[in-house]
Amino acid sequence: MRKSIISAVIAAVPTIAVAQSAVDAYTLSTSDLRGTARFMSMAGAFGALGGDLSTLTQNPAGIGVYRSSEVGVTLDINMTSSRTNSGTGIGSVDKTHVYCNNFGYIGTTILGNETMPTFSWGASYNRAASFDRTFRGGIGALETSMSNYVANFSQGYSTEVLGETQNYNPFQDSKADWMSIMAYNSFLISPSGPNGAYNGLWVPGTTYGNASYSTRERGYVDEYSINFGGNIMNTLYWGVGFGITDINMTQDTFYDEELTDADVYNKQDNVITPGNAYYALRNHSNTSGSGFNMKFGVILKPVNELRLGLAIHTPTWYNLSTHYASTIDYSYGYNLDAQGNPTLDNNGQYYSDDAYYDWRMKSPWRLIASAAGVIGGRFIVSADYEYKAFNNMSVSVPDPEVGYGDYEKDEWVSEDVKAYYKPTNTLRIGAEYRVTPQFSIRAGYSHSTTSVDKSYDEGARGCYVSTSGTNPSYTMNKGTDYITFGLGYRTGGFYIDAAYVYKKTSSTWHAFSSYEDPAANGAWTYAPRAALDNKNNNIVLSIGYKF
């Protein structure tokens, strides 16, 4: 559903209602703290240090620090816990996953001259993000219904347009919003007068309402990096990186409502009458594709005890394909007897055809500034600051006048991006102490500020959030924190590192956007929502060999 709820605007641009949204772009642009165990145990504060396989995806100048070649691999056990709290219902889900987090190779050539003593090249695989998340919960004492939200943005469509046949495909029949047609044929919305006016199930006389919801996300962003770098007089280290990303995300959502004394469709008499209502909306979507980015970095070592780093990541330019499908199951009881039990029923299911479309996305660009101190050859303390421009994301869609051979920027999504999101600031601090020449201990902390405008997270008046397809739900992420610890052991050219990483992300789940209801004299109606906390406990193990 798009941002405007003014019927004339919606009727003029119905095809956009099924395409991608700013929420989709944001979800696909998030990243995790992933890499080698040493890198993760210091909270990723490696921008000025280098000498680690993970620097290929952070500061490519880190490859210039190498004096020898290296090969390594990392395994990651990820235990996730999701907890929701709507104020009237609590839900929790726990999952465990195992990944190959990182592997790579660095080759170094000794050039034998004073200006550039070494030149290095390398290739690595790194899991930049995992979308594995499942949460569920319930909401009691509803004060509105998703059907009313749909009725609100469906104003202006004729019943002939909404009365499409089964298996509605939005790319074959683009005369109306996909969700409006689904809702009309499932009797979630009903005509309330001439000129395309509609009502939802919820009315002032509705005495009871509750809802339940669940979301399951799975998928990944994998990055394959090729880097080149060297050092100049053992003082200035430089690097250039090329990244190829592979992205795949699947999302299944469920939302249902049970209402008493609602306005339901009386199939026998073809009228709207008080009754009991139940419906369930299921959505399935999958987005996959690939992208390309570049990274540039330098590390300056003015003295042996100090290193300063700077890296710039271009946006990742993606070519993506998305598949949507949805169903609505419904059951309405009417002609209630003295005990409130229905004597007649209207039950059924309405479902869409599978919908496929291609689109392009530009992710945020990033800037990383770093500093590290080496004290006595045994103690390292390092800090990174990262700026990630979420408000710079953009989406392109096929030009309708040219077809799928050409793309144009989706200006509506760009406006939404700038309204909903702002740049994220991340601070990472890490430390390592070499207890013996072979054994080291490490620790770190990282904090990222929220990338979401507070007004949209809270559903403030006038802050309408657009979503895509027929899934009106969305999450708005708040800050993210990491606490990390680790151990390392080296003997000869072999090394083994272990890390424990704790991550906490707080979010708000919204069943649908809050909206202005003309039927309620323009009152701003707040949608059901729940606080969502995601916690990850990672055990990471890296082994490698330097030669």
Side-chain angles (χ1 to χ4, degrees), residues 38-46 49 429-432 442-444 484:
R38 186 185 181 207
F39 176 85
M40 294 179 70
S41 66
M42 295 177 65
F46 257 79
L49 292 174
I429 301 174
E432 177 183 78
R442 306 172 183 121
T484 64

Side-chain angles (χ1 to χ4, degrees), residues 176-198:
D177 186 285
W178 189 2
M179 187 60 195
S180 298
I181 291 179
M182 294 278 291
Y184 179 81
N185 287 277
S186 304
F187 309 104
L188 271 67
I189 64 175
S190 55
S192 62
N195 302 320
Y198 295 91

Side-chain angles (χ1 to χ4, degrees), residues 14-15 107 116 120 163 168 214 310 315 317 327 361 370 382 455 459 495 513 517:
T15 58
M116 183 177 284
S120 298
Y168 169 67
S214 67
L310 183 68
W317 290 277
T327 62
M361 183 184 79
S370 314
S382 181
S455 297
Y495 66 84
S513 179
D517 189 357

Side-chain angles (χ1 to χ4, degrees), residues 188 201 210 212 254-259 264 276-280 282 329-333 346:
L188 271 67
L201 297 169
N210 63 20
S212 63
F254 172 87
Y255 179 79
D256 71 351
E257 289 182 352
E258 183 178 2
L259 307 172
V264 303
N276 300 330
Y278 172 82
Y279 70 88
R282 293 176 174 85
D329 296 289
Y330 58 89
S331 176
Y332 305 109
N346 179 14

Side-chain angles (χ1 to χ4, degrees), residues 1-3 10 13-20 153 157 170-171 176-180 324 412 467-471:
M1 283 65 66
R2 297 302 305 151
K3 65 189 294 183
I10 293 180
V13 284
T15 58
I16 300 180
V18 297
Q20 65 295 313
F153 66 72
Y157 296 133
F171 294 95
D177 186 285
W178 189 2
M179 187 60 195
S180 298
Y324 274 108
W412 282 27
T467 59
S468 59
T470 59
N471 178 19

Side-chain angles (χ1 to χ4, degrees), residues 83-94:
R83 178 184 173 90
T84 59
N85 186 347
S86 66
T88 58
I90 296 176
S92 61
V93 179
D94 299 320

Side-chain angles (χ1 to χ4, degrees), residues 379-406:
F379 181 66
I380 297 173
V381 59
S382 181
D384 285 0
Y385 165 76
E386 178 178 326
Y387 176 93
K388 192 170 183 179
F390 278 106
N391 60 337
N392 190 246
M393 299 181 295
S394 66
V395 162
S396 297
V397 295
D399 187 339
E401 296 182 359
V402 178
Y404 281 84
D406 195 12

Side-chain angles (χ1 to χ4, degrees), residues 37 130 283 401 491 543:
S130 292
N283 276 283
E401 296 182 359
T491 177
I543 56 174

